[in-house]
Amino acid sequence: MANLHGLQPKQLARIGMFYLEEAILDVLFEAEMGNRQGLGPTEISKRLGTFLPWYNPGDLIVAGFLIKLENQGLVVHPRRGDWRLSEKGRENRRHD
């Protein structure tokens, strides 16, 4: 069953995932440009506007996307809690 946009739910989810990944990468790039060494999932979700202080599934969502992006070679997790762009992720941000 298609929605108002003529897309299937799975298609909408994939589009949403793409944009959330891009937003996470942009937040990490902006942090890096501000001389910040890395961010944790909570700080990223706060900067994205998805942080809910009373119940925070945003951290889990962001953490899951960070792992996915790490598997793609776009981010690295050198220390517990700190995520930053990999060289590949940095190059992709510079070309966009």
Side-chain angles (χ1 to χ4, degrees):
M1 172 180 252
N3 61 25
L4 294 176
H5 305 289
L7 300 171
Q8 299 296 321
K10 189 180 281 189
Q11 292 170 311
L12 286 173
R14 286 184 180 150
I15 292 167
M17 289 172 61
F18 170 80
Y19 282 114
L20 188 51
E21 288 172 11
E22 289 297 308
I24 291 168
L25 292 169
D26 283 347
V27 164
L28 290 173
F29 184 72
E30 289 171 3
E32 190 173 291
M33 294 297 102
N35 294 322
R36 184 82 186 258
Q37 293 301 311
L39 299 173
T42 299
E43 182 61 27
I44 293 169
S45 68
K46 286 179 180 178
R47 291 180 185 210
L48 290 174
T50 61
F51 180 76
L52 302 172
W54 61 91
Y55 179 75
N56 191 11
D59 285 356
L60 297 175
I61 292 168
V62 169
F65 276 98
L66 287 166
I67 292 166
K68 183 177 185 287
L69 292 168
E70 183 179 38
N71 290 335
Q72 295 171 354
L74 298 171
V75 300
V76 293
H77 191 214
R79 290 180 287 148
R80 186 167 178 84
D82 292 338
W83 290 85
R84 58 183 173 80
L85 293 175
S86 66
E87 188 58 40
K88 178 181 175 182
R90 197 172 300 109
E91 282 299 315
N92 287 350
R93 293 293 105 188
R94 287 186 187 133
H95 295 300
D96 287 348

